[in-house]
Amino acid sequence: KNFVEFPGLKFLSEAAAWFSDRGLRLPPAFAIGGIAPNILLDVLDAGFDRIAVSSCVWNAAAPAAVAGVLKEKLIAKRDSRGP
């Protein structure tokens, strides 16, 4: 795959808002492409709670550490939402 650009956070926010504006829950969907630990919270705040990552882990000097950071941030965000 070779992308010139990713739709980005604006697209994620607009997609989540489309459903919300209609009183609908966002269906199970994965945010994918360009996701890394430094923008993960922005992705989650946009309304998506599922991600798919590859290059940020695959290309990392310490892949297990990066995967661990992503997992910790996902869990922390989930736990902050409450039941």
Side-chain angles (χ1 to χ4, degrees), residues 9-77:
L9 293 170
K10 182 176 184 243
F11 174 79
L12 295 178
S13 295
E14 289 173 355
W18 188 92
F19 285 93
S20 178
D21 291 348
R22 288 156 179 79
L24 303 170
R25 286 186 53 148
L26 183 69
F30 287 82
I32 183 170
I35 297 170
N38 63 320
I39 67 157
L40 177 57
L41 294 179
D42 294 329
V43 170
L44 299 174
D45 288 342
F48 284 73
D49 55 7
R50 294 173 177 89
I51 61 167
V53 297
S54 59
S55 62
C56 79
V57 174
W58 183 260
N59 296 329
V66 171
V69 168
L70 292 167
K71 180 180 177 181
E72 288 171 11
K73 289 184 177 196
L74 286 165
I75 290 170
K77 185 66 172 183

